[in-house]
Amino acid sequence: MRLHGEVSFDEDEEEVVMVPAAALSSPLNGGAVPVTKFVVGYALTKKKVKSFLQPKLLLLARKKGISLVAIDDTRPLAEQGPFDIILHKITSKEWQQVLEDYHEEHPEVTVLDPPNAINHLNNRQSMLAEVSDLNLSSFYGEVCTPRQLVIMRDPSSIPTAVAMAGLTLPLVAKPLVVDGTSKSHELSLAYDEASLSMLDPPLVLQEFVNHGGILFKVYIIGETIQVVRRFSLPDVNTFDLLNNVGVYRFPRVSCAAASADHADLDPHISELPPRPLLEKLGKELRGRLGLRLFNIDMIRELGTKDRYYIIDINYFPGFGKMPGYEHIFTDFLLNLAQSKYKKCLSGG
């Protein structure tokens, strides 16, 4: 149940409570920029509220003068607020229309992020298109995407479609639509041609790239980038291809429980991608996608030092699983407030 009010954290009772939003003051830019009632309205699913609005974030936000206010989706958005920022992750078309209409009437409110930009990541057919067009290669490495094929219907046609596309087995199968459910993050590994017709369209088929069983989750919050290691699917060798048949299903790969940050790994496999490469990639994707809150799932091809593949991009991922996220996110919000204030002073 969503309530209209400020989210705060009671240190004595150690529980999340809701209190009316009040005028707040936050000293920005060394105390020289006064901001009153810096309010962030949020429209999130219950699951996202629980994972993201953790007590440590709520307490720090309050200390920094950020008022987090739940948006009541049973009332007109225009009757709520005023908001400086609207933070959201609801995928319904009705909500997207409400938000677009509101932003047209209130262009001074920052929306994180625009619904039309988010929609680009809700479909795996379009998700990696911007990466494919990047041709991002430099002294620090090369970034590309696996070859992939979209199958909309008729499982029996998949073997022929794969042969015509020239894809090499094994293939990773992923649901075409990313709607925030656990099911949309499930994947399957098909080892042989006969098993392809057992898959369930609509889906995307990606060529599997051996990567030492390690995936890099690259979190992007504004201009801040943080990387964590996660265990991924194991490598596939010739023996596996000759002796495995059928479809192997994996409920969810690279979740927080699969953290590899403290595992004893081969340095050639576990070494993080170069920071300059990630900064260049983050800057390019922020501009092309029009998003400020997302993460990139990235692997390094086994046996190479500098060839990376982006296999997924997710909007507003599980930032609560990222070490120190509460400091990064509240600083990000404050920087937005500061930029907005300076823009108002300049008459922009």
Side-chain angles (χ1 to χ4, degrees), residues 1-19:
M1 179 179 181
R2 291 194 183 92
L3 301 174
H4 182 59
E6 180 191 353
V7 180
S8 66
F9 178 63
D10 190 310
E11 295 174 87
D12 297 326
E13 297 183 13
E14 295 190 349
E15 63 178 357
V16 177
V17 296
M18 304 292 294
V19 299

Side-chain angles (χ1 to χ4, degrees), residues 18 30 39 77 92 99 118 126 133 143 148 163 184 226 229 249 272 277 287 304-305 312 316 321 346:
M18 304 292 294
V39 180
L77 188 54
S92 72
L99 193 55
I118 297 171
S126 60
D133 294 339
V143 178
Q148 68 177 32
S184 67
Q226 186 159 332
R229 300 178 189 85
R249 304 186 187 280
L272 296 177
L277 182 68
T304 73
K305 179 177 175 56
D312 252 327
F316 201 158
K321 304 165 189 173
S346 65

Side-chain angles (χ1 to χ4, degrees), residues 52-62 325-326 329-330:
F52 179 70
L53 295 179
Q54 296 179 24
K56 57 186 178 181
L57 173 68
L58 302 176
L59 179 58
L60 188 60
R62 185 174 66 178
Y325 89 103
E326 64 276 10
F329 203 88
T330 51

Side-chain angles (χ1 to χ4, degrees), residues 274-294:
R275 173 62 55 170
L277 182 68
L278 294 178
E279 289 176 350
K280 184 177 180 181
L281 176 62
K283 180 180 179 180
E284 290 286 344
L285 287 182
R286 280 196 305 272
R288 286 171 173 261
L289 298 174
L291 299 172
R292 285 175 278 196
L293 302 174
F294 59 99

Side-chain angles (χ1 to χ4, degrees), residues 60-112:
L60 188 60
R62 185 174 66 178
K63 287 180 177 179
K64 292 185 176 183
I66 301 171
S67 176
L68 290 163
V69 178
I71 292 174
D72 186 345
D73 57 7
T74 67
R75 296 173 51 209
L77 188 54
E79 295 179 2
Q80 304 178 60
F83 304 114
D84 294 287
I85 294 173
I86 290 181
L87 182 68
H88 70 104
K89 191 176 183 182
I90 295 178
T91 57
S92 72
K93 292 183 178 179
E94 294 79 9
W95 162 255
Q96 292 179 15
Q97 190 60 56
V98 166
L99 193 55
E100 288 173 1
D101 292 343
Y102 179 84
H103 193 243
E104 188 172 337
E105 293 292 326
H106 301 275
E108 75 282 0
V109 178
T110 301
V111 176
L112 294 173

Side-chain angles (χ1 to χ4, degrees), residues 142-316:
E142 176 187 5
V143 178
C144 46
T145 59
R147 292 202 300 163
Q148 68 177 32
L149 175 67
V150 176
I151 305 292
M152 297 302 298
R153 58 182 67 87
D154 188 10
S156 65
S157 69
I158 298 179
T160 300
V162 166
M164 291 181 63
L167 297 188
T168 303
L169 293 164
L171 296 175
V172 179
K174 303 177 180 181
L176 177 64
V177 176
V178 182
D179 57 8
T181 63
S182 297
K183 186 176 178 62
S184 67
H185 291 285
E186 293 179 356
L187 56 85
S188 303
L189 191 61
Y191 277 95
D192 61 300
E193 181 179 327
S195 67
L196 294 174
S197 58
M198 299 166 58
L199 298 171
D200 185 22
L203 52 80
V204 170
L205 295 174
Q206 289 182 349
E207 284 188 328
F208 182 80
V209 177
N210 280 337
H211 53 283
I214 294 296
L215 177 145
F216 304 105
K217 272 198 152 343
V218 184
Y219 290 101
I220 296 178
I221 300 178
E223 296 183 4
T224 300
I225 297 174
Q226 186 159 332
V227 190
V228 298
R229 300 178 189 85
R230 297 279 172 81
F231 285 112
S232 179
L233 297 180
D235 292 335
V236 176
N237 55 36
T238 304
F239 179 84
D240 296 325
L241 287 173
L242 292 175
N243 291 275
N244 289 321
V245 295
V247 174
Y248 290 76
R249 304 186 187 280
F250 302 86
R252 183 150 191 170
V253 179
S254 78
C255 63
S259 173
D261 278 333
H262 302 294
D264 184 15
L265 301 170
D266 182 338
H268 294 94
I269 293 174
S270 63
E271 182 182 2
L272 296 177
R275 173 62 55 170
L277 182 68
L278 294 178
E279 289 176 350
K280 184 177 180 181
L281 176 62
K283 180 180 179 180
E284 290 286 344
L285 287 182
R286 280 196 305 272
R288 286 171 173 261
L289 298 174
L291 299 172
R292 285 175 278 196
L293 302 174
F294 59 99
N295 92 281
I296 303 164
D297 286 350
M298 192 175 193
I299 59 176
R300 178 193 292 112
E301 185 175 359
L302 187 67
T304 73
K305 179 177 175 56
D306 57 5
R307 185 179 297 123
Y308 300 91
Y309 287 83
I310 293 179
I311 56 176
D312 252 327
I313 305 176
N314 303 290
Y315 178 67
F316 201 158

